[in-house]
Amino acid sequence: MESKRQQKFAGVIQKDLAEIFQREGMSFLPNTLVTITRVRVTPDLAIARVFLSFFNNQNSSLALNTIKAHSSEIRYKLGSRIKNQVRIIPHLEFFVDDTNEYVERMDKIFDKISKEPRQPDTEE
């Protein structure tokens, strides 16, 4: 369970990272829309786990590796935005948020189940 402080700090990081990716994300990943779906912060606020979703991109693992390669630059830009609000700039860890893929897979399974003929209920 995250504290209110962690949630507030995560919200600040998510908002500022979203602006960074919106303005300067094209230099990292051209023709790809990067969405920050969730940010989780450790209790000491030293590590921020950032979950990303990529649109208009076929290979999300390659896109994630590209983001990880630029993580120090992204952290620097984040630091210049939030330096007056925090004592330390958190270390950023990036992950792919595969929630949409999971939901699509589950929808296909449910559609398949609903199309199968139902077995009549037999009572003895």
Side-chain angles (χ1 to χ4, degrees), residues 56-73:
N56 199 21
N57 190 319
Q58 302 302 322
N59 191 347
S60 58
S61 62
L62 179 64
L64 181 66
N65 288 336
T66 304
I67 295 294
K68 285 182 179 180
H70 290 92
S71 65
S72 60
E73 181 182 346

mmCIF file of all heavy atoms in Angstrom, residues 56-73:
data_model
loop_
_atom_site.group_PDB
_atom_site.id
_atom_site.type_symbol
_atom_site.label_atom_id
_atom_site.label_comp_id
_atom_site.label_asym_id
_atom_site.label_seq_id
_atom_site.Cartn_x
_atom_site.Cartn_y
_atom_site.Cartn_z
ATOM 1 N N ASN A 56 1.562 2.663 -32.111
ATOM 2 C CA ASN A 56 2.145 2.830 -33.435
ATOM 3 C C ASN A 56 3.570 2.285 -33.452
ATOM 4 O O ASN A 56 4.457 2.853 -34.084
ATOM 5 C CB ASN A 56 2.102 4.297 -33.873
ATOM 6 C CG ASN A 56 2.267 4.452 -35.365
ATOM 7 O OD1 ASN A 56 2.039 3.511 -36.113
ATOM 8 N ND2 ASN A 56 2.649 5.637 -35.796
ATOM 9 N N ASN A 57 3.776 1.191 -32.728
ATOM 10 C CA ASN A 57 5.089 0.574 -32.658
ATOM 11 C C ASN A 57 4.899 -0.937 -32.626
ATOM 12 O O ASN A 57 4.124 -1.451 -31.823
ATOM 13 C CB ASN A 57 5.835 1.043 -31.406
ATOM 14 C CG ASN A 57 7.281 0.615 -31.405
ATOM 15 O OD1 ASN A 57 7.604 -0.493 -31.784
ATOM 16 N ND2 ASN A 57 8.143 1.503 -30.971
ATOM 17 N N GLN A 58 5.607 -1.650 -33.476
ATOM 18 C CA GLN A 58 5.456 -3.100 -33.564
ATOM 19 C C GLN A 58 6.269 -3.840 -32.516
ATOM 20 O O GLN A 58 5.868 -4.861 -32.010
ATOM 21 C CB GLN A 58 5.865 -3.580 -34.970
ATOM 22 C CG GLN A 58 5.071 -2.942 -36.082
ATOM 23 C CD GLN A 58 3.583 -3.181 -35.960
ATOM 24 O OE1 GLN A 58 3.151 -4.257 -35.572
ATOM 25 N NE2 GLN A 58 2.789 -2.172 -36.266
ATOM 26 N N ASN A 59 7.441 -3.318 -32.172
ATOM 27 C CA ASN A 59 8.343 -4.010 -31.270
ATOM 28 C C ASN A 59 8.497 -3.205 -29.979
ATOM 29 O O ASN A 59 9.323 -2.307 -29.892
ATOM 30 C CB ASN A 59 9.697 -4.215 -31.954
ATOM 31 C CG ASN A 59 10.590 -5.157 -31.190
ATOM 32 O OD1 ASN A 59 10.331 -5.495 -30.042
ATOM 33 N ND2 ASN A 59 11.661 -5.570 -31.835
ATOM 34 N N SER A 60 7.696 -3.538 -28.964
ATOM 35 C CA SER A 60 7.740 -2.762 -27.729
ATOM 36 C C SER A 60 9.010 -3.022 -26.926
ATOM 37 O O SER A 60 9.472 -2.141 -26.198
ATOM 38 C CB SER A 60 6.498 -3.048 -26.883
ATOM 39 O OG SER A 60 6.403 -4.412 -26.578
ATOM 40 N N SER A 61 9.610 -4.205 -27.055
ATOM 41 C CA SER A 61 10.846 -4.458 -26.309
ATOM 42 C C SER A 61 12.001 -3.625 -26.861
ATOM 43 O O SER A 61 12.837 -3.126 -26.103
ATOM 44 C CB SER A 61 11.197 -5.942 -26.328
ATOM 45 O OG SER A 61 11.427 -6.381 -27.645
ATOM 46 N N LEU A 62 12.038 -3.442 -28.180
ATOM 47 C CA LEU A 62 13.059 -2.576 -28.776
ATOM 48 C C LEU A 62 12.846 -1.126 -28.350
ATOM 49 O O LEU A 62 13.805 -0.410 -28.026
ATOM 50 C CB LEU A 62 13.032 -2.695 -30.304
ATOM 51 C CG LEU A 62 14.023 -1.823 -31.061
ATOM 52 C CD1 LEU A 62 15.452 -2.239 -30.733
ATOM 53 C CD2 LEU A 62 13.772 -1.920 -32.558
ATOM 54 N N ALA A 63 11.587 -0.695 -28.328
ATOM 55 C CA ALA A 63 11.272 0.666 -27.896
ATOM 56 C C ALA A 63 11.665 0.869 -26.436
ATOM 57 O O ALA A 63 12.213 1.910 -26.065
ATOM 58 C CB ALA A 63 9.786 0.952 -28.097
ATOM 59 N N LEU A 64 11.405 -0.133 -25.596
ATOM 60 C CA LEU A 64 11.776 -0.048 -24.185
ATOM 61 C C LEU A 64 13.292 0.049 -24.026
ATOM 62 O O LEU A 64 13.786 0.850 -23.226
ATOM 63 C CB LEU A 64 11.237 -1.251 -23.416
ATOM 64 C CG LEU A 64 11.545 -1.272 -21.925
ATOM 65 C CD1 LEU A 64 10.832 -0.133 -21.215
ATOM 66 C CD2 LEU A 64 11.151 -2.600 -21.328
ATOM 67 N N ASN A 65 14.027 -0.730 -24.797
ATOM 68 C CA ASN A 65 15.487 -0.666 -24.734
ATOM 69 C C ASN A 65 16.010 0.701 -25.178
ATOM 70 O O ASN A 65 16.998 1.200 -24.636
ATOM 71 C CB ASN A 65 16.113 -1.786 -25.563
ATOM 72 C CG ASN A 65 15.936 -3.134 -24.914
ATOM 73 O OD1 ASN A 65 15.768 -3.239 -23.711
ATOM 74 N ND2 ASN A 65 15.954 -4.180 -25.721
ATOM 75 N N THR A 66 15.347 1.301 -26.152
ATOM 76 C CA THR A 66 15.723 2.642 -26.593
ATOM 77 C C THR A 66 15.501 3.656 -25.478
ATOM 78 O O THR A 66 16.352 4.512 -25.221
ATOM 79 C CB THR A 66 14.913 3.044 -27.843
ATOM 80 O OG1 THR A 66 15.113 2.063 -28.864
ATOM 81 C CG2 THR A 66 15.325 4.412 -28.358
ATOM 82 N N ILE A 67 14.365 3.541 -24.802
ATOM 83 C CA ILE A 67 14.065 4.439 -23.678
ATOM 84 C C ILE A 67 15.090 4.230 -22.559
ATOM 85 O O ILE A 67 15.594 5.182 -21.967
ATOM 86 C CB ILE A 67 12.636 4.210 -23.152
ATOM 87 C CG1 ILE A 67 11.592 4.585 -24.207
ATOM 88 C CG2 ILE A 67 12.396 4.972 -21.860
ATOM 89 C CD1 ILE A 67 11.537 6.040 -24.559
ATOM 90 N N LYS A 68 15.416 2.965 -22.269
ATOM 91 C CA LYS A 68 16.405 2.686 -21.222
ATOM 92 C C LYS A 68 17.774 3.258 -21.582
ATOM 93 O O LYS A 68 18.510 3.708 -20.706
ATOM 94 C CB LYS A 68 16.508 1.178 -20.986
ATOM 95 C CG LYS A 68 15.338 0.613 -20.218
ATOM 96 C CD LYS A 68 15.516 -0.873 -19.983
ATOM 97 C CE LYS A 68 14.358 -1.447 -19.186
ATOM 98 N NZ LYS A 68 14.515 -2.896 -18.950
ATOM 99 N N ALA A 69 18.116 3.242 -22.859
ATOM 100 C CA ALA A 69 19.390 3.797 -23.292
ATOM 101 C C ALA A 69 19.449 5.310 -23.075
ATOM 102 O O ALA A 69 20.524 5.867 -22.845
ATOM 103 C CB ALA A 69 19.629 3.470 -24.764
ATOM 104 N N HIS A 70 18.291 5.964 -23.121
ATOM 105 C CA HIS A 70 18.221 7.415 -22.917
ATOM 106 C C HIS A 70 17.768 7.771 -21.503
ATOM 107 O O HIS A 70 17.396 8.916 -21.245
ATOM 108 C CB HIS A 70 17.255 8.046 -23.927
ATOM 109 C CG HIS A 70 17.763 8.026 -25.331
ATOM 110 N ND1 HIS A 70 17.473 7.006 -26.203
ATOM 111 C CD2 HIS A 70 18.553 8.892 -26.008
ATOM 112 C CE1 HIS A 70 18.049 7.244 -27.368
ATOM 113 N NE2 HIS A 70 18.718 8.380 -27.278
ATOM 114 N N SER A 71 17.775 6.814 -20.577
ATOM 115 C CA SER A 71 17.216 7.063 -19.246
ATOM 116 C C SER A 71 17.963 8.158 -18.485
ATOM 117 O O SER A 71 17.342 8.932 -17.756
ATOM 118 C CB SER A 71 17.174 5.777 -18.428
ATOM 119 O OG SER A 71 18.475 5.312 -18.177
ATOM 120 N N SER A 72 19.274 8.251 -18.644
ATOM 121 C CA SER A 72 20.009 9.301 -17.931
ATOM 122 C C SER A 72 19.627 10.689 -18.457
ATOM 123 O O SER A 72 19.499 11.646 -17.685
ATOM 124 C CB SER A 72 21.511 9.083 -18.035
ATOM 125 O OG SER A 72 21.915 9.096 -19.380
ATOM 126 N N GLU A 73 19.433 10.788 -19.759
ATOM 127 C CA GLU A 73 19.002 12.061 -20.350
ATOM 128 C C GLU A 73 17.593 12.419 -19.891
ATOM 129 O O GLU A 73 17.307 13.578 -19.561
ATOM 130 C CB GLU A 73 19.044 11.942 -21.883
ATOM 131 C CG GLU A 73 18.648 13.186 -22.614
ATOM 132 C CD GLU A 73 18.656 12.985 -24.125
ATOM 133 O OE1 GLU A 73 19.214 11.983 -24.602
ATOM 134 O OE2 GLU A 73 18.103 13.852 -24.810
#
